Amino acid sequence: MPNKKKNQVTASPERRRELLDLAAEVFAAQGYNATTVRRIADEAGMLAGSLYYHFDSKESMLDEILSTFLDELWQGYDSVLAAGLGPRETIEALVTESFREIDRHRAAVAIYQKESRQLAAQPRFHYLTESQRKFEKAWLGTLENGVRAGVFRTDLDIRLTYRFVRDTVWVAASWYRPGGQHSPEEIARQYLSMVLDGIAVRI
């Protein structure tokens, strides 16, 4: 028991982050319910009991993975929303920030996409519902402002447009790999070109 206490106290932040990153990859690939602490420990090359030196449960690991991702996402989004940009520029900045988050937290995004609805029913993960409401408000509000300002088409179904842009961006977590051929900013520019300007040649 004394050794367990000591390891909990002296575990470095770098080691903790390494274990969380590994757990996130396993959760994303296997699904949260199907993933055991033993499986995560095996991937880390350690005994299952040793993992408890760092985390009290796999639920705690998932909580830290998702809350860290969302905290960082909202730091970026809040900065964009507070910048006083026009509607188009705000959409461009939100899409770019989204791809940066996929680059930093690809596995966490994949988990959020697949698991958040089920997890949100648990008291520990109620913040997922609040984050989703805030996310929807930010995007819908920006699109509505753009229509009112004459920046976006007046015939747009705002909610359908929001869902299209949201899903088009976040599904990238299923194929994106950090360090690939294109940077997050380059991918965002391509997506924005297709979303805002279309793919057909203008005659």
Side-chain angles (χ1 to χ4, degrees):
M1 283 298 181
N3 287 338
K4 181 175 182 180
K5 178 78 170 177
K6 181 179 179 181
N7 284 337
Q8 285 178 320
V9 172
T10 60
S12 71
E14 293 78 14
R15 179 57 172 162
R16 187 180 183 85
R17 173 47 49 195
E18 178 184 315
L19 290 171
L20 285 172
D21 288 345
L22 189 150
E25 292 293 341
V26 178
F27 288 143
Q30 303 294 320
Y32 173 67
N33 287 334
T35 299
T36 63
V37 171
R38 179 180 294 278
R39 176 60 186 273
I40 297 170
D42 287 346
E43 292 292 326
M46 60 198 302
L47 296 174
S50 299
L51 196 60
Y52 288 110
Y53 292 168
H54 306 282
F55 305 96
D56 62 14
S57 65
K58 72 171 187 175
E59 183 181 59
S60 293
M61 299 181 80
L62 182 64
D63 188 8
E64 191 164 340
I65 290 164
L66 292 177
S67 61
T68 298
F69 154 59
L70 289 174
D71 286 348
E72 189 170 313
L73 175 73
W74 280 108
Q75 286 176 13
Y77 270 26
D78 287 341
S79 294
V80 169
L81 296 170
L85 303 172
R88 180 177 175 127
E89 292 74 22
T90 299
I91 290 292
E92 290 173 342
L94 289 174
V95 167
T96 301
E97 187 60 37
S98 298
F99 276 107
R100 287 173 179 153
E101 289 306 312
I102 291 172
D103 182 64
R104 297 179 188 123
H105 300 287
R106 186 204 61 80
V109 173
I111 297 166
Y112 182 87
Q113 291 287 90
K114 291 187 283 188
E115 310 272 6
S116 60
R117 182 172 296 182
Q118 180 178 351
L119 288 170
Q122 302 177 29
R124 183 166 189 166
F125 294 98
H126 276 176
Y127 63 85
L128 297 176
T129 300
E130 181 55 35
S131 182
Q132 178 58 37
R133 290 195 188 111
K134 188 178 175 184
F135 186 92
E136 185 173 301
K137 181 180 178 181
W139 283 82
L140 288 176
T142 302
L143 290 167
E144 289 166 353
N145 289 341
V147 171
R148 282 196 297 267
V151 175
F152 302 139
R153 292 179 359 223
T154 57
D155 64 327
L156 289 179
D157 181 314
I158 296 298
R159 187 164 290 276
L160 185 60
T161 303
Y162 154 69
R163 288 173 175 164
F164 170 73
V165 176
R166 176 197 66 191
D167 293 348
T168 298
V169 170
W170 291 108
V171 76
S174 67
W175 57 261
Y176 179 82
R177 292 297 179 271
Q181 182 178 357
H182 301 292
S183 71
E185 292 78 11
E186 289 169 343
I187 296 173
R189 280 196 294 272
Q190 286 288 325
Y191 267 58
L192 285 162
S193 175
M194 290 184 281
V195 168
L196 296 174
D197 301 318
I199 63 172
V201 174
R202 296 186 178 184
I203 301 175

